């Protein structure tokens, strides 16, 4: 890595601390017939650790300058494949067609400039990830893990909570990276729920929560004025809320029931 010029624009802060790398891998209960997806292998530090425990690892790396470095780091791992392309442009389902797996995971030290688009793409891919364990910026991690009533609680938190149990794993100091970033990091796991709350239409639910959180200072009556407020009030009352409540106070089940009732 001696002469490698890191690109800030690609979120290239590489993790060199073996202790942290093995801790990340230990967060994920990788079982047999496993396929792990990694976004942004960089120099392959984390990839190597994943290659040791998973049946197969499929990586996406946008920066072709890393090809020779990755070839070298991963020379002993015939179970690891790297696609050199922008992950956000890929058809993941198509890429996975040739793999025979029972358990799918995502493990990555993400490029922070596209954390949310990556997570949204993965969740909307239609693929059933058992665990999504990612290193992200600490503040973003707090948002993903936020509880109703806190300032960080937002529509993405609600959406993620629908599918996953969100687990804060551990904090990683900025000193563990090269080059050193301006922020600390957090490893977080999104663990797929065995049983999802029955939802009539996920798209309707998604739009409803986006609208409910649209203007932070506004209450439900104002943010959801284009919906049937009578129906909404009936649901809110059941949970001891009313139209003056704000979206950040409402737990997942209220949004689910609201969406289902509005579709009736
Ligand atoms: N996994 C390595 C580690 O832990 O040391 C590197 C992590 S670094 C934070 C993020 C990596 O994502 C970089 O290698 C960067 O080139 C890559 N990357 C950035 N944007 C990407 C994209 N759109 N698709 C795929 N990889 C991307």
């Amino acid at each position: 890595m001696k002469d490698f010029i890191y690109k800030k624009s690609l979120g290239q802060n590489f993790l060199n601390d073996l202790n942290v790398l093995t801790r990340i891998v230990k967060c994920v209960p990788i079982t047999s017939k496993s396929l792990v997806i990694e976004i942004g292998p960089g120099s392959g530090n984390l990839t190597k650790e994943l290659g040791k425990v998973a049946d197969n690892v499929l990586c996406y790396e946008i920066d072709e300058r890393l090809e020779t470095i990755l070839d070298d780091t991963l020379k002993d791992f015939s179970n690891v494949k790297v696609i050199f392309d922008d992950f956000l442009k890929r058809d993941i389902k198509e890429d996975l067609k040739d793999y025979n797996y029972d358990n799918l995971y995502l493990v990555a030290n993400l490029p922070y400039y596209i954390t949310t688009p990556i997570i949204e793409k993965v969740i909307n891919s239609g693929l059933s990830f058992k665990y999504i364990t990612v290193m992200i910026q600490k503040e973003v991690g707090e948002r993903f893990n936020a509880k109703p009533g806190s300032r960080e609680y937002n529509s993405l938190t609600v959406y993620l909570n629908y599918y996953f149990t969100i687990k804060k794993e551990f904090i990683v100091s900025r000193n563990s990276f090269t080059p050193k970033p301006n922020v600390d990091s957090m490893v977080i796991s999104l663990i797929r729920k065995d049983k999802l709350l029955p939802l009539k239409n996920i798209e309707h639910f998604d739009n409803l929560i986006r609208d409910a959180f649209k203007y932070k200072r506004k209450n439900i009556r104002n943010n959801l004025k284009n919906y049937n407020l009578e129906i909404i009030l009936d649901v809110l009352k059941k949970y001891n809320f009313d139209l003056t409540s704000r979206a950040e106070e409402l737990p997942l089940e209220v949004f689910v029931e609201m969406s289902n009732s509005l579709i009736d």
Side-chain angles (χ1 to χ4, degrees):
M1 292 304 294
K2 218 171 66 209
D3 300 321
F4 186 76
I5 298 171
Y6 295 91
K7 280 195 184 164
K8 213 175 168 181
S9 61
L10 292 180
Q12 290 182 338
N13 300 96
F14 292 177
L15 186 57
N16 299 312
D17 188 331
L18 185 61
N19 188 26
V20 178
L21 291 164
T22 49
R23 252 182 106 186
I24 296 175
V25 177
K26 279 199 189 124
C27 293
V28 196
I30 296 176
T31 48
S32 59
K33 283 193 103 179
S34 56
L35 172 60
V36 176
I37 293 189
E38 185 193 2
I39 300 152
S43 58
N45 295 343
L46 180 60
T47 322
K48 218 165 64 178
E49 300 309 313
L50 292 169
K52 289 179 194 168
V53 293
D55 291 322
N56 284 293
V57 182
L58 173 65
C59 306
Y60 295 89
E61 174 54 65
I62 200 170
D63 190 349
E64 287 181 13
R65 295 176 307 149
L66 289 161
E67 189 161 1
T68 42
I69 297 169
L70 279 169
D71 278 349
D72 184 49
T73 322
L74 303 173
K75 57 179 180 302
D76 299 328
F77 293 90
S78 57
N79 59 338
V80 178
K81 177 181 167 187
V82 183
I83 294 175
F84 286 92
D85 200 357
D86 179 349
F87 174 73
L88 294 178
K89 294 202 179 125
R90 299 297 299 190
D91 179 342
I92 330 174
K93 268 198 169 152
E94 187 62 30
D95 293 337
L96 262 53
K97 239 179 31 202
D98 299 333
Y99 287 93
N100 184 9
Y101 62 89
D102 285 340
N103 298 300
L104 182 63
Y105 308 86
L106 175 82
V107 184
N109 172 13
L110 290 182
Y112 294 173
Y113 73 106
I114 43 171
T115 300
T116 302
I118 288 177
I119 298 285
E120 285 180 342
K121 180 173 172 117
V122 168
I123 291 171
N124 296 328
S125 65
L127 293 162
S128 185
F129 286 86
K130 264 190 121 169
Y131 257 72
I132 297 176
T133 295
V134 283
M135 170 106 72
I136 55 182
Q137 190 180 328
K138 190 174 150 220
E139 286 69 24
V140 178
E142 300 291 5
R143 232 178 293 147
F144 284 3
N145 193 36
K147 303 286 172 264
S150 73
R151 243 168 23 100
E152 287 93 2
Y153 188 68
N154 66 11
S155 57
L156 184 58
T157 321
V158 178
Y159 194 71
L160 290 178
N161 263 293
Y162 179 70
Y163 292 103
F164 300 99
T165 300
I166 298 164
K167 182 175 173 210
K168 182 172 161 179
E169 302 281 6
F170 57 93
I171 303 287
V172 182
S173 152
R174 63 194 76 186
N175 296 320
S176 298
F177 299 86
T178 311
K180 180 171 148 179
N182 297 325
V183 291
D184 290 325
S185 296
M186 182 191 287
V187 176
I188 197 160
S189 290
L190 310 179
I191 306 162
R192 180 162 289 271
K193 290 181 179 172
D194 286 336
K195 241 183 132 205
L196 299 181
L197 293 170
L199 195 54
K200 286 183 186 159
N201 183 328
I202 186 75
E203 236 171 85
H204 181 276
F205 171 74
D206 188 23
N207 288 331
L208 178 77
I209 54 180
R210 278 176 204 269
D211 288 337
F213 282 90
K214 197 161 187 180
Y215 300 105
K216 260 206 151 307
R217 285 165 195 281
K218 292 195 173 176
N219 59 23
I220 289 292
R221 189 200 310 277
N222 290 317
N223 274 336
L224 296 183
K225 62 174 186 284
N226 295 328
Y227 292 78
N228 184 331
L229 286 173
E230 258 174 62
I231 294 177
I232 289 178
L233 180 60
D234 281 345
V235 176
L236 287 169
K237 273 192 190 152
K238 269 179 69 178
Y239 294 88
N240 291 326
F241 295 103
D242 58 40
L243 291 171
T244 66
S245 304
R246 285 175 208 280
E248 50 266 38
E249 299 170 58
L250 309 180
L252 170 70
E253 46 285 15
V254 178
F255 288 110
V256 169
E257 193 167 332
M258 233 188 243
S259 171
N260 286 343
S261 309
L262 285 163
I263 292 173
D264 268 345

